[in-house]
């Protein structure tokens, strides 16, 4: 299985400041057929299901604010919240969908307000 | 509007069985892969099983192989998870989730149903 490792496990950021979450996969998730990375980011708020934010490592899902951005390739990826808002307090997960049909998630990163 | 509504969770003894259901609406159910993803209380997400569009192909995480069976009814627009020989470590909120293909992410999730395995 592909192991996904996120860092840090938690972070506290002041309102309006940048938050950066890293995700590392145990092997490349670059999908050769379309030259895209099979990496997604989800946001989960307390008591709610996860919500898809980013897919193909950097494509924002419809309706997701542009303060959320994804980057990276191969095995190293980053989710950036450019200006943290109160409603962004949540746990964020990365997920690989390269090794289908078995998919794996990172352990999650909790984002709080400092 | 896409909706996924899970049901069937509850309290069960170790070694017991439970069948989860997920009712889909707002999209062409038979055109999508479907999955079950679980989340133990206070912990992270774990993909459990998936099934392709017509139900001819299934896959499972290793820890549930031989105990859980995923199935679907495209006429009734429903997804199922039959869980047998349940263990304490199967305690979790179980979500059903949709993917367009086997190489795309989960774009819609249900609200989840809680399964508690305890004596």
């Amino acid at each position: 299985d592909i192991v996904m490792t996120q860092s840090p496990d938690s972070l506290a950021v002041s309102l309006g400041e940048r938050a950066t979450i890293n995700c590392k996969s145990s092997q490349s998730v670059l999908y050769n057929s379309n030259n895209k990375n099979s990496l997604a980011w989800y946001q989960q708020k307390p008591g709610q299901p996860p919500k898809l934010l980013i897919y193909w490592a950097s494509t924002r899902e419809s309706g997701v604010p542009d303060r959320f951005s994804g980057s990276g390739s191969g095995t190293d990826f980053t989710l950036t919240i450019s200006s943290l808002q109160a409603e962004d307090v949540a746990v964020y997960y990365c997920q690989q969908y390269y090794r289908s049909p078995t998919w794996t998630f990172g352990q999650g990163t909790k984002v709080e307000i400092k | 509007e896409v909706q996924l509504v899970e049901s069937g969770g509850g309290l069960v003894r170790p070694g017991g069985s439970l069948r989860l259901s997920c009712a889909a609406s707002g999209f062409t159910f038979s055109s999508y892969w479907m999955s079950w993803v679980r989340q133990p209380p206070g912990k992270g997400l774990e993909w459990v099983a998936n099934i392709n569009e017509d139900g001819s192909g299934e896959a499972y995480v290793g820890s549930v192989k031989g105990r859980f069976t995923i199935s679907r009814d495209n006429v009734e627009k429903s997804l199922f998870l039959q869980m047998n020989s349940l263990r304490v470590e199967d305690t979790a909120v179980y979500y059903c989730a949709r993917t367009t293909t086997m190489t795309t992410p989960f774009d819609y999730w249900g609200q989840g149903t809680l399964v508690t395995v305890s004596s």
Side-chain angles (χ1 to χ4, degrees):
Chain A
D1 288 358
I2 299 178
V3 178
M4 309 300 290
T5 304
Q6 292 180 228
S7 62
D9 289 333
S10 65
L11 74 161
V13 176
S14 299
L15 288 172
E17 295 300 305
R18 179 184 300 262
T20 301
I21 301 169
N22 300 301
C23 175
K24 188 174 184 65
S25 59
S26 60
Q27 65 184 79
S28 175
V29 296
L30 181 62
Y31 194 43
N32 290 333
S33 68
N34 61 7
N35 201 36
K36 294 182 178 182
N37 291 277
S38 302
L39 190 286
W41 289 97
Y42 299 87
Q43 175 194 64
Q44 187 178 32
K45 297 181 179 180
Q48 295 184 20
K51 172 189 173 185
L52 178 63
L53 295 177
I54 303 279
Y55 57 97
W56 296 127
S58 60
T59 301
R60 207 176 297 116
E61 177 74 330
S62 177
V64 173
D66 61 7
R67 63 180 180 274
F68 291 93
S69 63
S71 62
S73 185
T75 61
D76 293 281
F77 302 91
T78 300
L79 174 70
T80 301
I81 309 173
S82 60
S83 176
L84 191 75
Q85 305 300 304
E87 61 265 32
D88 300 335
V89 169
V91 179
Y92 293 84
Y93 295 92
C94 62
Q95 178 230 344
Q96 65 81 17
Y97 47 95
Y98 174 83
R99 182 54 57 81
S100 55
T102 58
W103 300 302
T104 47
F105 293 88
Q107 79 277 16
T109 295
K110 186 174 185 179
V111 174
E112 300 173 307
I113 304 295
K114 185 188 291 184
Chain B
E1 178 194 5
V2 173
Q3 283 200 316
L4 298 168
V5 180
E6 302 93 338
S7 60
L11 175 64
V12 61
R13 305 272 194 212
S17 298
L18 213 54
R19 190 189 195 215
L20 305 184
S21 299
C22 171
S25 61
F27 65 102
T28 305
F29 182 70
S30 59
S31 296
Y32 290 83
W33 282 60
M34 296 297 297
S35 290
W36 290 98
V37 178
R38 67 184 178 184
Q39 185 171 37
K43 296 189 178 180
L45 301 166
E46 179 183 46
W47 166 79
V48 173
N50 61 34
I51 188 166
N52 65 358
E53 299 96 325
D54 64 6
S56 62
E58 309 155 26
Y60 301 89
V61 69
S63 59
V64 309
K65 276 183 185 175
R67 300 189 299 123
F68 290 12
T69 303
I70 189 172
S71 61
R72 65 190 297 161
D73 183 333
N74 284 346
V75 173
E76 296 296 323
K77 301 182 183 180
S78 294
L79 177 72
F80 306 101
L81 186 67
Q82 178 66 44
M83 304 186 294
N84 299 330
S85 302
L86 281 161
R87 305 168 180 169
V88 171
E89 55 266 34
D90 294 319
T91 295
V93 173
Y94 284 74
Y95 296 101
C96 71
R98 185 187 89 164
T99 57
T100 304
T101 70
M102 62 190 289
T103 54
T104 53
F106 303 109
D107 58 355
Y108 282 93
W109 300 64
Q111 289 296 313
T113 187
L114 177 62
V115 172
T116 304
V117 184
S118 174
S119 54

